Amino acid sequence: MKAVGVVVEYNPFHNGHLHHLTEARKQAKADVVIAVMSGYFLQRGEPAILPKWERTSLALQGGADLVVELPYAFSTQKAEWFATGAVSILAALEADALCFGSEEGTIEPFHRLYHFMAKHRLAWDRMIKEELDKGMSYPTATSLAFKRLEGSAEHLDLSRPNNILGFHYVKAIYDLHTSIKAMTIPRIKAGYHDDSLNESSIASATSIRKSLKTKEGWQMVDRVVPSYTTEMLKSFEKETTFLPSWERLFPLLKYRLLTATPEQLHAIYEGEEGLEYRALKTIVSATSFHDWMTKMKTKRYTWTRIQRYATHLFTNTTKEEIHSVLPRGTESLPYIRLLGMTSRGQMYLNGKKKQLTTPVITRPAKVDDRMMNLDLRAAFSYYASFPPSLQQKRLKEEFHRTPIRIDHKPEPKKEA
Amino acid sequence: MKAVGVVVEYNPFHNGHLHHLTEARKQAKADVVIAVMSGYFLQRGEPAILPKWERTSLALQGGADLVVELPYAFSTQKAEWFATGAVSILAALEADALCFGSEEGTIEPFHRLYHFMAKHRLAWDRMIKEELDKGMSYPTATSLAFKRLEGSAEHLDLSRPNNILGFHYVKAIYDLHTSIKAMTIPRIKAGYHDDSLNESSIASATSIRKSLKTKEGWQMVDRVVPSYTTEMLKSFEKETTFLPSWERLFPLLKYRLLTATPEQLHAIYEGEEGLEYRALKTIVSATSFHDWMTKMKTKRYTWTRIQRYATHLFTNTTKEEIHSVLPRGTESLPYIRLLGMTSRGQMYLNGKKKQLTTPVITRPAKVDDRMMNLDLRAAFSYYASFPPSLQQKRLKEEFHRTPIRIDHKPEPKKEA
């Protein structure tokens, strides 16, 4: 059986994601689609709008055959580690291809850029350092260094977020010496950061989350997500009375910061002196997450960088923990957690069972591993803002829930 | 001017406290009464039902002339440290006497016991250790060791909570070589741990807090507290919609525990292996503070001991912090924080100003001190469960509020 991988967050699952899943299967001529999906916290340093179980169900309904979890140690990271984690998992599951959406839309420029970068590595690193020393943020420094290499004109536009991620998938495929075939499809219409819904049936996840904050917004969301996404959002909100967000978690984050010592802050992953000092200084008067972020923002740090720091603060993830987990992760993953599957997905796993060297686990109960500890802590943190009875149910689930099973409806038979 | 000290929590201020204040002034023939009052967290490891400002106001209305704060490093401690902190402060303020309520009611047995204990120190310490090794809790071990010394028959009943505290005040007065005169008055009627209100006008603070949980209870409370206490409780609850309690703080405590590493738990003051392990094991399924405490309770640890541990967990207070602060505290206090005064109290302070060696401060803004850091963190923790706008106001207050001024109404003139 042939498998194509996709790396996803589904925050929440929308028509663009559906298109991507369908095209990935088609273009790779794959029998199964493997979705590597972030758990509770996402790449831009945000809690997911729905728990991973709900998002797994949506992924299966949308056409994925296997949904496996991208561990926290990789999921809330800059593109390089995010991609390395995802590609490691796809390699361990022996996927034949990886298909990502990009602004570029064709794969050649990604390969060309990889080779160009490999050639100019040392000069590029030096230039980035120079720009950082001038006080630039990391993405700006990268982009400026790139321009100075005079590579920008003929190469991939690395100012586009999906091109950056795509480049790092391709780079990880090379660097990890896997035989995965990289493929890309053009993203359609909506830009990644657009925050208003337009008239078409495609909108970015960012704009969808924004629309979900108002009653009118929900109606617009209806047009740009599959019906099962709307139903899932509605039933989840009915159960909990809220959709998870930073604002919901902010009282806990504030409590954490108000009671932390400078030494404890310094131990947190992504912490550095400037950020720690600002965090302690700004938290006392911050009345909301957005208010705090606005007070935290400087030219030196991007919004995303600060949000990632906030996420690690929130989950109490230390430098020492991440550093003990990351290098090992790229050599041999300690486990792959299966969140959901169709019967086709199960067939694929059964066929591979004897040759896979990484354990595919269905529940964390018996795994004693530092990477898993971080995943559990992320879950605990995420559910800490839930009302007691729901929290109980969810925490139990986190330890004991078996993978979600959903089978795709057979396509309607053509009439004779 | 002659000053008598009282050591108080006022959780909340009731008729028994009023009686104590009045008698202390009378029996010591004092011009001013100095109340050393705990801040936000109390000796039995609980958040105060009202912030320290509200309780300061009640203390002044009840007859105190000066209200100073017992720092967190002393306030949530076993009797020995609690008493040492309070007596140090009274000594630094040059109080002439200390008057405490006790079940015993006369002072001689306290002095006798001190000398008896001094004589049998080594044997007693050994016996306590033996009982602890058998798995007894600390209070039980103390009491059993005492019985084995055959001192119980002729001496003070140390199974009574106010006798224990009183003994430690007397002991601290001796050990710190102060010239403070110890005095005691009998506590009237209600036992310390009684939890139902009786028909009289005296009830324990414990029973009052319990009654405040029901609507009917409020009416009964009316009979056993001065009218200004009822008014204060009502207006506070109207502003906040709740009265602070462990149940209110529990979601934050649970978040703290769910995201703590074993090493972090081990660093917390009062933590030891047995407690830490149980805390991590029991927190996942705990649905309320009471539920968690019930799961935590063993023969080895008293309810109070576990609550104190919970308090230090909640405020993120480490062994290292307390150990760096305590020994110094008994030699020379870094500061005394003034919370409130009458004009008589101010006159007393002005008169002493030149001879006092400990700075009496009115706001923490400019104090950079580890003991003060713990006080601020206690305040931050306490207010972390308050709604954002109230929290803002309170945190600001914590840094900038000047002492409360209330003057006692002159007694009505006797008719000619």
Side-chain angles (χ1 to χ4, degrees), chain A residues 251-256 258-261 263-264 268 283-287 313-316 318 321 370 376-377 380-381 384 388-389 391-392 395-396 399, chain B residues 251-256 258-261 263-264 268 283-287 313-316 318 321 370 376-377 380-381 384 388-389 391-392 395-396 399:
Chain A
L252 297 173
L253 178 69
K254 185 166 185 180
Y255 163 64
R256 161 89 61 199
L258 284 176
T259 56
T261 64
E263 299 76 40
Q264 286 169 339
I268 295 296
I283 194 65
V284 179
S285 68
T287 53
L313 266 172
F314 186 69
T315 57
N316 187 30
T318 64
E321 286 174 313
R370 296 198 80 175
L376 287 175
R377 213 173 323 133
F380 287 165
S381 312
S389 62
Q391 191 189 57
Q392 283 323 102
L395 292 185
K396 216 171 156 183
F399 284 100
Chain B
L252 297 173
L253 178 69
K254 185 166 185 180
Y255 163 64
R256 162 88 61 199
L258 284 176
T259 56
T261 64
E263 299 75 40
Q264 286 170 339
I268 296 297
I283 194 65
V284 180
S285 68
T287 53
L313 266 172
F314 186 69
T315 57
N316 188 30
T318 63
E321 286 174 313
R370 296 198 80 175
L376 287 175
R377 218 181 310 139
F380 286 165
S381 311
S389 62
Q391 191 189 57
Q392 284 323 101
L395 293 184
K396 216 171 156 184
F399 284 100

Side-chain angles (χ1 to χ4, degrees), chain B residues 221-232:
Chain B
V221 167
D222 234 9
R223 280 205 312 275
V224 294
V225 303
S227 59
Y228 40 84
T229 296
T230 317
E231 280 158 31
M232 184 68 86

Side-chain angles (χ1 to χ4, degrees), chain B residues 1-255:
Chain B
M1 289 173 92
K2 198 172 176 186
V4 63
V6 292
V7 185
V8 301
E9 295 192 326
Y10 294 159
N11 190 39
F13 189 86
H14 58 56
N15 289 345
H17 297 134
L18 183 61
H19 171 76
H20 173 221
L21 276 181
T22 313
E23 285 299 304
R25 183 191 297 276
K26 204 164 94 187
Q27 297 199 13
K29 297 191 176 64
D31 303 297
V32 295
V33 180
I34 305 174
V36 180
M37 191 181 78
S38 304
Y40 293 106
F41 291 91
L42 308 180
Q43 212 228 333
R44 281 191 281 164
E46 289 172 330
I49 197 169
L50 288 171
K52 65 184 179 193
W53 301 106
E54 274 75 4
R55 282 153 49 238
T56 295
S57 166
L58 296 179
L60 293 172
Q61 290 178 76
D65 294 294
L66 288 171
V67 182
V68 295
E69 183 168 354
L70 182 66
Y72 179 83
F74 298 113
S75 74
T76 306
Q77 290 277 9
K78 56 183 175 182
E80 189 159 359
W81 278 116
F82 181 86
T84 300
V87 170
S88 300
I89 290 173
L90 288 174
L93 290 173
E94 303 195 341
D96 301 280
L98 186 172
C99 178
F100 56 90
S102 67
E103 292 84 1
E104 182 67 25
T106 55
I107 199 69
E108 251 322 294
F110 290 90
H111 289 292
R112 268 209 313 276
L113 180 60
Y114 175 78
H115 294 299
F116 176 85
M117 299 291 273
K119 206 169 140 191
H120 296 90
R121 185 85 234 167
L122 290 176
W124 199 55
D125 283 350
R126 177 175 47 77
M127 288 175 191
I128 289 178
K129 198 181 167 302
E130 284 167 11
E131 299 297 340
L132 285 175
D133 289 346
K134 287 183 204 157
M136 298 297 143
S137 72
Y138 189 80
T140 310
T142 311
S143 160
L144 287 173
F146 197 55
K147 279 194 184 130
R148 283 170 58 187
L149 277 175
E150 290 178 14
S152 57
E154 45 174 325
H155 285 297
L156 200 58
D157 179 359
L158 278 191
S159 73
R160 312 301 303 274
N162 289 281
N163 284 350
I164 296 177
L165 273 175
F167 171 70
H168 283 287
Y169 295 139
V170 171
K171 184 169 180 298
I173 286 172
Y174 278 109
D175 293 351
L176 295 171
H177 307 290
T178 78
S179 58
I180 293 174
K181 183 184 174 193
M183 305 170 65
T184 189
I185 59 164
R187 299 188 86 243
I188 40 174
K189 284 175 189 149
Y192 193 62
H193 290 299
D194 288 357
D195 60 1
S196 68
L197 292 183
N198 59 27
E199 293 301 309
S200 85
S201 64
I202 298 289
S204 73
T206 306
S207 69
I208 292 172
R209 289 195 304 280
K210 200 180 168 190
S211 297
L212 289 173
K213 286 173 191 164
T214 65
K215 209 173 170 180
E216 301 73 41
W218 277 77
Q219 291 167 351
M220 295 195 289
V221 167
D222 234 9
R223 280 205 312 275
V224 294
V225 303
S227 59
Y228 40 84
T229 296
T230 317
E231 280 158 31
M232 184 68 86
L233 286 164
K234 276 186 186 155
S235 77
F236 183 83
E237 209 198 21
K238 199 177 165 192
E239 189 188 3
T240 57
T241 73
F242 61 90
L243 292 174
S245 68
W246 260 125
E247 294 304 344
R248 174 87 193 172
L249 302 181
F250 185 64
L252 297 173
L253 178 69
K254 185 166 185 180
Y255 163 64

Side-chain angles (χ1 to χ4, degrees), chain A residues 267-402:
Chain A
I268 295 296
Y269 185 57
E270 297 254 25
E272 40 183 89
E273 214 178 301
L275 275 176
E276 292 151 25
Y277 173 77
R278 275 188 89 75
L280 284 180
K281 205 178 117 186
T282 53
I283 194 65
V284 179
S285 68
T287 53
S288 69
F289 184 73
H290 190 269
D291 180 34
W292 181 64
M293 282 295 294
T294 309
K295 290 180 162 106
M296 284 292 285
K297 183 78 184 75
T298 64
K299 193 177 152 203
R300 173 96 203 199
Y301 302 107
T302 63
W303 192 272
T304 297
R305 170 79 173 74
I306 303 171
Q307 282 201 156
R308 271 190 219 131
Y309 176 57
T311 303
H312 299 308
L313 266 172
F314 186 69
T315 57
N316 187 30
T317 303
T318 64
K319 290 169 182 154
E320 191 270 333
E321 286 174 313
I322 292 284
H323 293 154
S324 77
V325 151
L326 276 197
R328 192 189 50 166
T330 59
E331 291 156 21
S332 68
L333 289 165
Y335 61 88
I336 294 172
R337 184 165 186 187
L338 181 63
L339 297 176
M341 58 185 162
T342 61
S343 41
R344 241 188 330 212
Q346 186 172 28
M347 210 184 300
Y348 176 83
L349 276 186
N350 284 341
K352 294 278 182 186
K353 205 153 49 180
K354 285 179 187 157
Q355 68 214 65
L356 296 186
T357 52
T358 306
V360 176
I361 62 163
T362 55
R363 49 182 98 176
K366 284 174 185 171
V367 181
D368 182 18
D369 182 90
R370 296 198 80 175
M371 192 178 275
M372 178 58 84
N373 285 344
L374 294 180
D375 286 350
L376 287 175
R377 213 173 323 133
F380 287 165
S381 312
Y382 185 83
Y383 290 125
S385 76
F386 280 47
S389 62
L390 278 177
Q391 191 189 57
Q392 283 323 102
K393 195 181 128 200
R394 292 288 180 160
L395 292 185
K396 216 171 156 183
E397 199 171 82
E398 195 57 35
F399 284 100
H400 301 296
R401 185 162 184 175
T402 52

